[in-house]
Amino acid sequence: MFSQEKIKTALKMYYQCGSVTKTIRTLGYPARRTMYLWIENEEKEKFPRKELNITNTAEHPRNPSVDIKMDAIHRCFELGESVKSVSEDIGYSRASIYQWHKRYLRGGAIALMNNKNISPGQLKKGMETPSSDQDIRQLQEQVNDLQMEIDILKETINVLKKDPGVDQTALRNREKAVIVDALKDKYSLPDLLKMLDFPKSSYYYQQAAMRWKDKHKEIRGKITKLFYENRECYGYRRIHSLLKRDGVIISEKIIRRIMKEEGLIVRSTTKKKYNSCKGEISPSVPNVIQRDFHAEKPNCKWLTDITEFAIPAGKVYLSPIVDCFDGMLPSWTIGSSPDAALVNKMLDKAVEQLNENDHPIIHSDRGCHYRWPGWIERMDNAGLERSMSKKGCSPDNSACEGLFGRIKNEMFYSRDWGDTSVQQFIEILDEYLIWYNDKRIKESLGYMSPREYRQSLGLVA
Protein backbone atom coordinates (compact mmCIF):
# COMPACT_ATOMS: atom_id res chain seq x y z
CA MET A 1 0.00 0.00 0.00
CA PHE A 2 2.89 2.40 0.72
CA SER A 3 5.89 3.14 -1.45
CA GLN A 4 9.43 2.79 -0.16
CA GLU A 5 9.74 6.57 -0.28
CA LYS A 6 6.76 7.01 2.06
CA ILE A 7 8.09 4.33 4.43
CA LYS A 8 11.49 6.04 4.56
CA THR A 9 9.84 9.43 5.18
CA ALA A 10 7.80 8.02 8.07
CA LEU A 11 10.81 6.29 9.64
CA LYS A 12 12.94 9.42 9.27
CA MET A 13 10.32 11.56 11.02
CA TYR A 14 9.90 8.93 13.77
CA TYR A 15 13.63 8.88 14.53
CA GLN A 16 13.69 12.69 14.56
CA CYS A 17 10.76 13.24 16.93
CA GLY A 18 10.87 9.90 18.79
CA SER A 19 7.06 9.59 18.80
CA VAL A 20 4.87 7.22 16.79
CA THR A 21 1.76 9.27 17.57
CA LYS A 22 3.32 12.54 16.42
CA THR A 23 4.60 10.91 13.24
CA ILE A 24 1.16 9.55 12.32
CA ARG A 25 -0.59 12.85 13.12
CA THR A 26 1.89 14.85 11.06
CA LEU A 27 1.95 12.61 7.97
CA GLY A 28 -1.61 11.27 8.16
CA TYR A 29 -0.40 7.69 7.69
CA PRO A 30 0.07 4.75 8.41
CA ALA A 31 -1.93 2.83 11.03
CA ARG A 32 -0.18 2.52 14.39
CA ARG A 33 0.40 -1.24 14.04
CA THR A 34 1.86 -0.78 10.55
CA MET A 35 4.23 1.88 11.89
CA TYR A 36 5.45 -0.46 14.61
CA LEU A 37 6.11 -3.17 12.00
CA TRP A 38 8.15 -0.70 9.89
CA ILE A 39 10.20 0.24 12.94
CA GLU A 40 10.70 -3.43 13.82
CA ASN A 41 11.91 -4.28 10.31
CA GLU A 42 14.21 -1.25 10.28
CA GLU A 43 15.77 -2.26 13.61
CA LYS A 44 16.15 -5.86 12.44
CA GLU A 45 18.13 -4.65 9.42
CA LYS A 46 20.35 -2.41 11.52
CA PHE A 47 20.71 -4.77 14.49
CA PRO A 48 20.06 -8.36 13.34
CA ARG A 49 19.19 -10.76 16.15
CA LYS A 50 21.30 -13.81 16.70
CA GLU A 51 19.50 -16.94 15.54
CA LEU A 52 19.07 -19.44 18.38
CA ASN A 53 19.69 -23.14 17.77
CA ILE A 54 16.67 -24.80 19.33
CA THR A 55 18.27 -28.25 19.28
CA ASN A 56 21.26 -27.03 21.31
CA THR A 57 20.28 -26.70 24.96
CA ALA A 58 23.37 -24.61 25.65
CA GLU A 59 22.12 -22.01 23.16
CA HIS A 60 18.45 -22.45 24.04
CA PRO A 61 17.97 -22.87 27.79
CA ARG A 62 14.70 -24.26 29.06
CA ASN A 63 14.57 -21.42 31.60
CA PRO A 64 15.64 -18.24 29.73
CA SER A 65 17.05 -15.18 31.44
CA VAL A 66 14.91 -12.33 32.70
CA ASP A 67 16.28 -10.14 29.88
CA ILE A 68 14.91 -12.53 27.22
CA LYS A 69 11.52 -12.68 28.91
CA MET A 70 11.29 -8.90 29.37
CA ASP A 71 12.35 -8.31 25.76
CA ALA A 72 9.62 -10.67 24.54
CA ILE A 73 6.98 -9.01 26.73
CA HIS A 74 8.09 -5.57 25.57
CA ARG A 75 7.93 -6.53 21.89
CA CYS A 76 4.54 -8.28 22.11
CA PHE A 77 2.56 -6.14 24.55
CA GLU A 78 4.11 -2.67 24.17
CA LEU A 79 5.52 -2.46 20.63
CA GLY A 80 2.62 -4.47 19.19
CA GLU A 81 4.50 -7.28 17.46
CA SER A 82 2.57 -10.51 16.98
CA VAL A 83 3.18 -13.19 19.62
CA LYS A 84 3.65 -15.76 16.86
CA SER A 85 6.49 -13.88 15.14
CA VAL A 86 8.25 -13.18 18.44
CA SER A 87 7.85 -16.83 19.46
CA GLU A 88 9.47 -18.01 16.22
CA ASP A 89 12.21 -15.42 16.61
CA ILE A 90 13.30 -16.30 20.16
CA GLY A 91 12.56 -20.05 19.99
CA TYR A 92 10.00 -20.24 22.82
CA SER A 93 6.35 -21.18 22.53
CA ARG A 94 3.54 -18.67 22.45
CA ALA A 95 2.15 -20.25 25.62
CA SER A 96 5.44 -19.42 27.38
CA ILE A 97 5.25 -15.79 26.34
CA TYR A 98 1.65 -15.49 27.57
CA GLN A 99 2.69 -17.16 30.84
CA TRP A 100 5.61 -14.72 31.29
CA HIS A 101 3.28 -11.80 30.68
CA LYS A 102 0.77 -13.13 33.24
CA ARG A 103 3.51 -13.59 35.86
CA TYR A 104 4.93 -10.16 35.11
CA LEU A 105 1.56 -8.45 35.62
CA ARG A 106 1.09 -10.30 38.89
CA GLY A 107 4.52 -9.81 40.44
CA GLY A 108 6.70 -7.65 38.21
CA ALA A 109 10.12 -8.58 36.85
CA ILE A 110 11.03 -10.43 40.06
CA ALA A 111 8.29 -12.95 39.30
CA LEU A 112 10.08 -13.84 36.06
CA MET A 113 13.10 -15.14 37.95
CA ASN A 114 13.21 -18.92 38.52
CA ASN A 115 16.43 -19.62 40.43
CA LYS A 116 15.26 -23.02 41.76
CA ASN A 117 15.30 -24.72 38.38
CA ILE A 118 18.37 -23.00 36.91
CA SER A 119 21.38 -25.20 36.29
CA PRO A 120 24.71 -24.33 34.66
CA GLY A 121 23.89 -26.42 31.58
CA GLN A 122 20.64 -24.56 31.02
CA LEU A 123 22.09 -21.06 31.14
CA LYS A 124 22.82 -19.06 28.04
CA LYS A 125 26.34 -19.51 26.75
CA GLY A 126 28.72 -17.05 28.33
CA MET A 127 26.68 -16.69 31.57
CA GLU A 128 27.61 -18.35 34.80
CA THR A 129 25.51 -19.47 37.75
CA PRO A 130 25.63 -16.97 40.62
CA SER A 131 28.33 -18.38 42.87
CA SER A 132 27.91 -16.08 45.85
CA ASP A 133 25.43 -13.89 47.68
CA GLN A 134 27.12 -10.89 46.13
CA ASP A 135 26.43 -12.18 42.60
CA ILE A 136 22.80 -12.78 43.51
CA ARG A 137 22.49 -9.29 44.92
CA GLN A 138 23.98 -7.80 41.76
CA LEU A 139 21.53 -9.76 39.64
CA GLN A 140 18.64 -8.63 41.82
CA GLU A 141 19.83 -5.00 41.53
CA GLN A 142 19.84 -5.30 37.75
CA VAL A 143 16.33 -6.74 37.77
CA ASN A 144 15.23 -4.00 40.17
CA ASP A 145 16.63 -1.32 37.85
CA LEU A 146 14.84 -2.89 34.91
CA GLN A 147 11.59 -3.04 36.86
CA MET A 148 12.01 0.58 37.92
CA GLU A 149 12.50 1.65 34.33
CA ILE A 150 9.34 -0.19 33.30
CA ASP A 151 7.33 1.34 36.16
CA ILE A 152 8.55 4.82 35.22
CA LEU A 153 7.47 4.17 31.63
CA LYS A 154 4.05 3.03 32.85
CA GLU A 155 3.61 6.18 34.94
CA THR A 156 4.71 8.30 31.99
CA ILE A 157 2.07 6.71 29.78
CA ASN A 158 -0.80 6.36 32.26
CA VAL A 159 -0.40 9.49 34.43
CA LEU A 160 1.21 11.99 32.06
CA LYS A 161 -0.50 10.56 28.92
CA LYS A 162 2.77 10.56 26.99
CA ASP A 163 3.59 8.47 23.94
CA PRO A 164 5.35 5.13 24.67
CA GLY A 165 8.39 6.30 22.69
CA VAL A 166 8.97 9.45 24.76
CA ASP A 167 12.45 10.16 26.10
CA GLN A 168 12.00 10.08 29.88
CA THR A 169 14.98 12.34 30.52
CA ALA A 170 13.40 15.00 28.27
CA LEU A 171 10.35 15.37 30.51
CA ARG A 172 9.78 18.68 32.28
CA ASN A 173 10.84 18.90 35.90
CA ARG A 174 7.26 19.10 37.15
CA GLU A 175 6.39 15.94 35.21
CA LYS A 176 9.40 14.16 36.65
CA ALA A 177 8.36 15.23 40.15
CA VAL A 178 4.90 13.73 39.60
CA ILE A 179 6.46 10.39 38.56
CA VAL A 180 8.81 10.39 41.55
CA ASP A 181 5.92 11.05 43.95
CA ALA A 182 3.97 8.17 42.43
CA LEU A 183 6.84 5.67 42.83
CA LYS A 184 8.79 6.85 45.89
CA ASP A 185 6.94 4.41 48.16
CA LYS A 186 8.20 1.52 46.01
CA TYR A 187 11.74 2.70 45.21
CA SER A 188 14.32 4.80 46.99
CA LEU A 189 14.40 8.49 46.13
CA PRO A 190 18.09 8.56 45.04
CA ASP A 191 17.49 5.67 42.61
CA LEU A 192 14.47 7.35 41.05
CA LEU A 193 16.26 10.68 40.70
CA LYS A 194 19.26 8.97 39.10
CA MET A 195 17.08 7.04 36.66
CA LEU A 196 15.29 10.23 35.56
CA ASP A 197 18.45 12.38 35.54
CA PHE A 198 16.63 14.67 37.96
CA PRO A 199 18.69 16.78 40.42
CA LYS A 200 17.64 16.47 44.05
CA SER A 201 17.41 20.25 44.48
CA SER A 202 15.09 20.51 41.48
CA TYR A 203 12.84 17.81 42.90
CA TYR A 204 12.45 19.58 46.25
CA TYR A 205 11.85 22.88 44.46
CA GLN A 206 9.01 21.28 42.48
CA GLN A 207 7.65 19.80 45.70
CA ALA A 208 7.53 23.26 47.28
CA ALA A 209 6.08 24.84 44.13
CA MET A 210 3.18 22.38 44.10
CA ARG A 211 2.38 23.29 47.71
CA TRP A 212 2.38 27.02 47.07
CA LYS A 213 -0.94 28.76 47.41
CA ASP A 214 -2.43 30.39 44.36
CA LYS A 215 -1.18 33.96 44.71
CA HIS A 216 -3.81 35.09 42.21
CA LYS A 217 -6.70 33.46 44.09
CA GLU A 218 -8.38 36.75 45.00
CA ILE A 219 -7.92 38.36 41.60
CA ARG A 220 -9.10 35.13 39.95
CA GLY A 221 -12.46 35.53 41.67
CA LYS A 222 -12.75 39.18 40.60
CA ILE A 223 -12.00 38.32 36.98
CA THR A 224 -14.62 35.56 36.98
CA LYS A 225 -17.21 37.88 38.54
CA LEU A 226 -16.54 40.67 36.02
CA PHE A 227 -16.75 38.22 33.12
CA TYR A 228 -20.19 36.90 34.08
CA GLU A 229 -21.50 40.30 35.19
CA ASN A 230 -20.85 41.58 31.68
CA ARG A 231 -22.76 38.84 29.86
CA GLU A 232 -19.62 36.77 29.10
CA CYS A 233 -18.74 39.33 26.42
CA TYR A 234 -15.47 40.82 27.71
CA GLY A 235 -12.04 39.56 26.71
CA TYR A 236 -8.87 40.09 28.72
CA ARG A 237 -8.35 43.69 27.53
CA ARG A 238 -11.71 44.92 28.81
CA ILE A 239 -11.34 42.93 32.03
CA HIS A 240 -7.92 44.57 32.47
CA SER A 241 -9.50 48.01 32.02
CA LEU A 242 -12.22 47.31 34.60
CA LEU A 243 -9.68 46.07 37.13
CA LYS A 244 -7.57 49.16 36.50
CA ARG A 245 -10.61 51.32 37.26
CA ASP A 246 -10.84 49.60 40.66
CA GLY A 247 -7.17 50.28 41.35
CA VAL A 248 -6.01 46.71 40.65
CA ILE A 249 -2.74 46.73 38.69
CA ILE A 250 -2.00 43.42 36.98
CA SER A 251 -0.51 42.36 33.67
CA GLU A 252 -2.80 41.62 30.74
CA LYS A 253 -0.85 38.38 30.20
CA ILE A 254 -1.77 37.17 33.68
CA ILE A 255 -5.44 38.01 33.09
CA ARG A 256 -5.34 36.14 29.79
CA ARG A 257 -3.77 33.09 31.46
CA ILE A 258 -6.27 33.11 34.34
CA MET A 259 -9.20 33.40 31.93
CA LYS A 260 -7.86 30.45 29.95
CA GLU A 261 -7.43 28.36 33.10
CA GLU A 262 -10.95 29.21 34.29
CA GLY A 263 -12.52 28.58 30.88
CA LEU A 264 -13.73 32.18 30.53
CA ILE A 265 -14.05 32.16 26.76
CA VAL A 266 -16.04 34.66 24.69
CA ARG A 267 -17.98 32.39 22.36
CA SER A 268 -18.61 33.28 18.74
CA THR A 269 -20.29 31.67 15.74
CA THR A 270 -20.98 32.71 12.17
CA LYS A 271 -24.43 32.28 10.64
CA LYS A 272 -26.08 33.38 7.42
CA LYS A 273 -27.53 36.88 7.83
CA TYR A 274 -30.90 38.22 6.78
CA ASN A 275 -31.08 39.63 3.21
CA SER A 276 -33.53 42.43 2.43
CA CYS A 277 -32.76 42.88 -1.28
CA LYS A 278 -35.91 43.05 -3.42
CA GLY A 279 -34.43 44.52 -6.57
CA GLU A 280 -34.45 48.05 -8.00
CA ILE A 281 -37.85 49.31 -6.85
CA SER A 282 -36.97 53.05 -6.88
CA PRO A 283 -34.05 55.20 -8.03
CA SER A 284 -30.92 54.64 -5.97
CA VAL A 285 -28.85 57.38 -4.34
CA PRO A 286 -25.06 57.80 -4.30
CA ASN A 287 -22.73 56.53 -1.60
CA VAL A 288 -22.01 59.77 0.26
CA ILE A 289 -20.28 58.11 3.22
CA GLN A 290 -17.67 56.31 1.05
CA ARG A 291 -16.68 54.07 3.97
CA ASP A 292 -15.63 57.04 6.09
CA PHE A 293 -17.29 56.06 9.36
CA HIS A 294 -15.66 58.78 11.49
CA ALA A 295 -17.58 61.83 12.68
CA GLU A 296 -16.34 64.88 14.58
CA LYS A 297 -19.59 65.37 16.47
CA PRO A 298 -22.82 63.49 17.27
CA ASN A 299 -25.75 63.40 14.83
CA CYS A 300 -23.52 63.96 11.82
CA LYS A 301 -23.38 60.47 10.26
CA TRP A 302 -25.88 57.71 11.04
CA LEU A 303 -25.85 54.11 9.81
CA THR A 304 -28.76 51.69 9.69
CA ASP A 305 -29.61 48.16 8.59
CA ILE A 306 -31.74 45.17 9.62
CA THR A 307 -30.49 41.91 11.11
CA GLU A 308 -32.26 38.64 11.87
CA PHE A 309 -32.22 36.46 15.01
CA ALA A 310 -33.55 32.94 14.39
CA ILE A 311 -34.63 31.16 17.60
CA PRO A 312 -36.69 27.95 17.91
CA ALA A 313 -39.83 29.98 18.75
CA GLY A 314 -39.55 32.10 15.60
CA LYS A 315 -37.58 34.91 13.96
CA VAL A 316 -36.89 38.33 15.45
CA TYR A 317 -35.64 41.37 13.54
CA LEU A 318 -33.63 44.34 14.85
CA SER A 319 -33.47 47.73 13.10
CA PRO A 320 -31.10 50.18 14.84
CA ILE A 321 -29.42 53.49 14.03
CA VAL A 322 -25.70 53.79 14.83
CA ASP A 323 -24.02 57.16 15.39
CA CYS A 324 -20.55 57.18 13.80
CA PHE A 325 -19.30 59.62 16.44
CA ASP A 326 -19.07 57.05 19.25
CA GLY A 327 -21.21 54.04 18.31
CA MET A 328 -24.20 55.22 20.34
CA LEU A 329 -27.57 53.80 19.28
CA PRO A 330 -29.96 56.80 19.14
CA SER A 331 -32.93 54.49 18.51
CA TRP A 332 -33.89 50.98 17.57
CA THR A 333 -36.97 48.87 16.96
CA ILE A 334 -37.43 45.12 17.43
CA GLY A 335 -40.18 43.09 15.82
CA SER A 336 -41.17 39.74 14.38
CA SER A 337 -41.52 41.00 10.80
CA PRO A 338 -38.96 42.92 8.66
CA ASP A 339 -41.54 45.25 7.20
CA ALA A 340 -41.63 48.97 6.44
CA ALA A 341 -43.29 49.72 9.80
CA LEU A 342 -40.19 48.42 11.62
CA VAL A 343 -37.77 50.88 9.97
CA ASN A 344 -40.21 53.79 9.77
CA LYS A 345 -40.93 53.64 13.50
CA MET A 346 -37.19 53.54 14.23
CA LEU A 347 -36.61 56.61 12.05
CA ASP A 348 -39.46 58.52 13.71
CA LYS A 349 -37.98 57.83 17.18
CA ALA A 350 -34.52 58.95 16.02
CA VAL A 351 -35.77 62.19 14.42
CA GLU A 352 -37.55 63.15 17.66
CA GLN A 353 -34.16 63.28 19.42
CA LEU A 354 -32.55 65.65 16.90
CA ASN A 355 -31.98 69.32 17.58
CA GLU A 356 -33.31 71.88 15.13
CA ASN A 357 -29.93 72.29 13.40
CA ASP A 358 -29.08 68.57 13.22
CA HIS A 359 -29.45 67.03 9.76
CA PRO A 360 -27.34 63.84 9.70
CA ILE A 361 -26.55 61.72 6.68
CA ILE A 362 -28.30 58.34 7.01
CA HIS A 363 -26.43 55.55 5.25
CA SER A 364 -28.05 52.18 4.47
CA ASP A 365 -27.81 49.31 2.04
CA ARG A 366 -30.11 49.03 -1.00
CA GLY A 367 -32.78 47.10 0.90
CA CYS A 368 -36.39 47.66 -0.06
CA HIS A 369 -37.21 49.25 3.32
CA TYR A 370 -35.10 52.29 2.48
CA ARG A 371 -36.59 52.74 -0.99
CA TRP A 372 -40.30 52.74 -0.15
CA PRO A 373 -42.14 56.07 -0.39
CA GLY A 374 -42.79 56.13 3.37
CA TRP A 375 -39.07 56.14 4.23
CA ILE A 376 -38.19 58.68 1.53
CA GLU A 377 -40.99 61.00 2.67
CA ARG A 378 -39.82 60.91 6.28
CA MET A 379 -36.23 61.62 5.22
CA ASP A 380 -37.30 64.62 3.13
CA ASN A 381 -39.56 66.05 5.85
CA ALA A 382 -36.74 65.91 8.42
CA GLY A 383 -34.19 67.37 6.01
CA LEU A 384 -31.97 64.29 6.21
CA GLU A 385 -29.54 63.24 3.47
CA ARG A 386 -29.71 59.69 2.07
CA SER A 387 -26.67 57.56 1.29
CA MET A 388 -26.58 53.98 0.02
CA SER A 389 -23.99 51.22 -0.37
CA LYS A 390 -23.25 49.62 -3.69
CA LYS A 391 -25.33 46.56 -4.49
CA GLY A 392 -24.15 43.49 -2.60
CA CYS A 393 -21.18 45.34 -1.05
CA SER A 394 -21.36 44.84 2.72
CA PRO A 395 -18.01 46.64 3.42
CA ASP A 396 -19.75 49.87 2.39
CA ASN A 397 -21.74 49.56 5.63
CA SER A 398 -19.15 47.63 7.64
CA ALA A 399 -19.51 49.67 10.83
CA CYS A 400 -23.17 48.66 11.13
CA GLU A 401 -22.38 45.06 10.17
CA GLY A 402 -19.75 45.06 12.90
CA LEU A 403 -22.36 46.10 15.47
CA PHE A 404 -24.54 43.15 14.48
CA GLY A 405 -21.57 40.80 14.81
CA ARG A 406 -20.78 42.04 18.32
CA ILE A 407 -24.41 41.75 19.44
CA LYS A 408 -24.71 38.18 18.19
CA ASN A 409 -21.35 37.05 19.55
CA GLU A 410 -21.97 38.55 22.97
CA MET A 411 -25.62 37.81 23.69
CA PHE A 412 -27.01 35.45 21.05
CA TYR A 413 -24.68 32.66 19.91
CA SER A 414 -23.43 31.75 23.39
CA ARG A 415 -26.87 30.92 24.82
CA ASP A 416 -29.55 28.28 24.37
CA TRP A 417 -32.87 29.85 23.32
CA GLY A 418 -34.90 26.63 23.27
CA ASP A 419 -37.25 27.66 26.09
CA THR A 420 -37.49 31.36 25.12
CA SER A 421 -40.57 32.82 23.49
CA VAL A 422 -40.38 35.54 20.85
CA GLN A 423 -41.64 38.19 23.30
CA GLN A 424 -39.14 37.13 25.95
CA PHE A 425 -36.33 37.32 23.42
CA ILE A 426 -37.40 40.83 22.37
CA GLU A 427 -37.24 41.95 26.02
CA ILE A 428 -33.80 40.37 26.52
CA LEU A 429 -32.46 42.00 23.33
CA ASP A 430 -33.87 45.38 24.36
CA GLU A 431 -32.17 45.11 27.79
CA TYR A 432 -28.89 44.25 26.09
CA LEU A 433 -29.05 47.32 23.81
CA ILE A 434 -29.69 49.58 26.80
CA TRP A 435 -26.64 48.02 28.51
CA TYR A 436 -24.70 48.48 25.25
CA ASN A 437 -25.35 52.24 25.28
CA ASP A 438 -24.96 52.87 29.01
CA LYS A 439 -22.39 50.41 30.36
CA ARG A 440 -20.54 48.42 27.69
CA ILE A 441 -17.01 49.87 27.55
CA LYS A 442 -15.16 50.31 24.25
CA GLU A 443 -11.42 50.39 23.75
CA SER A 444 -11.75 53.14 21.11
CA LEU A 445 -13.46 55.37 23.68
CA GLY A 446 -10.77 54.98 26.31
CA TYR A 447 -12.62 52.04 27.90
CA MET A 448 -15.80 54.05 28.47
CA SER A 449 -19.33 53.33 27.30
CA PRO A 450 -20.87 55.65 24.68
CA ARG A 451 -22.97 57.41 27.32
CA GLU A 452 -19.98 57.79 29.69
CA TYR A 453 -17.94 59.16 26.80
CA ARG A 454 -20.56 61.81 25.98
CA GLN A 455 -20.84 62.69 29.66
CA SER A 456 -17.07 63.18 29.86
CA LEU A 457 -17.33 65.64 26.94
CA GLY A 458 -20.28 67.45 28.49
CA LEU A 459 -22.61 66.53 25.64
CA VAL A 460 -25.22 64.89 27.91
CA ALA A 461 -26.10 65.25 31.57
Side-chain angles (χ1 to χ4, degrees):
M1 292 177 61
F2 298 96
S3 64
Q4 288 298 321
E5 183 179 353
K6 285 191 173 182
I7 295 175
K8 289 180 180 178
T9 302
L11 290 171
K12 182 179 180 181
M13 177 164 289
Y14 166 75
Y15 286 120
Q16 287 178 348
C17 67
S19 170
V20 171
T21 300
K22 189 173 181 180
T23 301
I24 295 173
R25 287 178 179 173
T26 303
L27 298 178
Y29 73 89
R32 184 177 292 273
R33 184 173 182 82
T34 304
M35 188 67 199
Y36 281 127
L37 290 175
W38 290 354
I39 296 170
E40 176 192 355
N41 294 335
E42 180 75 6
E43 292 180 350
K44 280 183 178 181
E45 292 179 4
K46 291 183 178 179
F47 311 103
R49 297 177 180 271
K50 184 177 179 181
E51 295 294 335
L52 297 177
N53 184 3
I54 299 178
T55 60
N56 189 341
T57 57
E59 290 291 338
H60 183 263
R62 191 169 66 183
N63 293 290
S65 66
V66 174
D67 290 340
I68 293 177
K69 295 177 181 179
M70 288 302 302
D71 181 63
I73 292 172
H74 177 68
R75 291 172 61 189
C76 292
F77 302 102
E78 293 184 11
L79 295 183
E81 297 183 39
S82 69
V83 176
K84 180 180 179 181
S85 63
V86 174
S87 171
E88 294 173 351
D89 185 33
I90 65 176
Y92 293 94
S93 67
R94 285 176 282 178
S96 297
I97 296 176
Y98 284 117
Q99 183 65 22
W100 297 342
H101 185 237
K102 183 178 179 181
R103 287 165 57 189
Y104 169 74
L105 294 177
R106 186 170 57 246
I110 300 295
L112 298 178
M113 297 180 63
N114 192 4
N115 293 329
K116 293 182 180 179
N117 298 327
I118 293 179
S119 64
Q122 293 172 326
L123 292 175
K124 193 174 181 179
K125 189 175 183 180
M127 295 183 63
E128 296 180 356
T129 307
S131 58
S132 65
D133 293 340
Q134 182 179 1
D135 293 336
I136 295 175
R137 282 196 300 271
Q138 289 178 351
L139 180 59
Q140 289 176 339
E141 288 175 359
Q142 293 176 1
V143 174
N144 188 64
D145 289 343
L146 181 60
Q147 180 63 42
M148 185 193 308
E149 187 175 351
I150 293 172
D151 287 342
I152 289 175
L153 179 60
K154 286 182 178 179
E155 293 297 327
T156 305
I157 297 172
N158 297 331
V159 178
L160 301 180
K161 308 301 181 185
K162 298 289 186 179
D163 190 85
V166 68
D167 181 6
Q168 296 169 8
T169 60
L171 296 173
R172 292 179 296 175
N173 284 351
R174 174 155 294 196
E175 294 173 335
K176 292 180 181 179
V178 171
I179 294 175
V180 171
D181 287 339
L183 298 175
K184 66 181 180 182
D185 292 336
K186 186 175 181 179
Y187 302 101
S188 67
L189 182 61
D191 290 342
L192 287 168
L193 298 179
K194 182 180 179 181
M195 183 69 70
L196 288 167
D197 191 20
F198 190 20
K200 188 176 181 180
S201 59
S202 298
Y203 168 69
Y204 283 114
Y205 172 81
Q206 293 298 330
Q207 283 269 299
M210 286 187 282
R211 290 194 299 268
W212 288 342
K213 294 182 179 179
D214 184 3
K215 63 180 180 180
H216 298 303
K217 183 177 181 180
E218 183 178 352
I219 197 68
R220 192 182 297 270
K222 290 183 179 179
I223 291 173
T224 303
K225 183 179 179 182
L226 288 172
F227 181 78
Y228 287 110
E229 280 182 350
N230 291 280
R231 303 170 180 264
E232 305 177 31
C233 302
Y234 284 2
Y236 70 93
R237 293 184 180 89
R238 288 190 172 87
I239 296 292
H240 176 265
S241 175
L242 293 179
L243 290 172
K244 191 175 180 181
R245 282 187 182 184
D246 296 337
V248 180
I249 306 302
I250 188 171
S251 168
E252 288 185 351
K253 292 182 179 179
I254 295 176
I255 295 175
R256 183 169 55 189
R257 175 170 58 81
I258 291 175
M259 292 182 71
K260 183 179 180 181
E261 292 172 354
E262 297 297 321
L264 306 179
I265 301 171
V266 179
R267 295 175 178 84
S268 62
T269 310
T270 302
K271 290 192 176 181
K272 186 177 179 179
K273 68 170 187 174
Y274 163 75
N275 189 344
S276 62
C277 181
K278 301 296 181 183
E280 300 292 330
I281 60 177
S282 67
S284 62
V285 296
N287 186 347
V288 180
I289 295 291
Q290 291 293 332
R291 302 190 188 181
D292 180 9
F293 303 113
H294 300 282
E296 298 296 330
K297 61 180 182 179
N299 302 329
C300 180
K301 296 178 182 178
W302 283 358
L303 312 175
T304 188
D305 201 349
I306 296 179
T307 190
E308 176 188 276
F309 298 86
I311 62 174
K315 292 183 179 181
V316 176
Y317 298 89
L318 168 65
S319 174
I321 279 184
V322 186
D323 195 321
C324 289
F325 175 65
D326 53 6
M328 172 76 81
L329 307 180
S331 72
W332 62 83
T333 52
I334 307 171
S336 57
S337 177
D339 52 18
L342 187 74
V343 297
N344 291 342
K345 183 179 178 181
M346 172 212 59
L347 182 59
D348 291 339
K349 290 167 62 177
V351 170
E352 290 175 1
Q353 302 179 31
L354 292 175
N355 297 322
E356 184 178 353
N357 297 324
D358 290 336
H359 302 284
I361 300 171
I362 297 187
H363 182 79
S364 67
D365 60 15
R366 292 176 180 263
C368 60
H369 316 89
Y370 314 113
R371 305 180 74 169
W372 290 121
W375 174 270
I376 298 173
E377 182 181 356
R378 284 172 170 80
M379 292 284 291
D380 292 340
N381 292 339
L384 309 180
E385 184 177 357
R386 296 169 65 202
S387 173
M388 282 188 173
S389 306
K390 290 189 295 185
K391 184 177 180 179
C393 187
S394 59
D396 282 352
N397 200 12
S398 58
C400 194
E401 298 286 356
L403 168 70
F404 295 153
R406 284 191 293 275
I407 293 173
K408 292 185 177 181
N409 285 333
E410 293 181 355
M411 65 79 59
F412 182 64
Y413 293 141
S414 59
R415 296 178 58 179
D416 179 14
W417 304 101
D419 299 328
T420 307
S421 67
V422 169
Q423 185 57 40
Q424 288 173 333
F425 181 84
I426 290 175
E427 293 173 0
I428 293 172
L429 179 56
D430 190 65
E431 290 176 1
Y432 171 85
L433 296 175
I434 295 172
W435 172 80
Y436 186 93
N437 269 347
D438 297 344
K439 294 185 177 181
R440 185 188 182 278
I441 59 177
K442 299 178 67 176
E443 183 179 0
S444 59
L445 301 180
Y447 290 104
M448 290 186 283
S449 68
R451 189 167 301 281
E452 289 172 342
Y453 183 66
R454 293 196 180 192
Q455 288 172 345
S456 69
L457 298 177
L459 298 176
V460 295

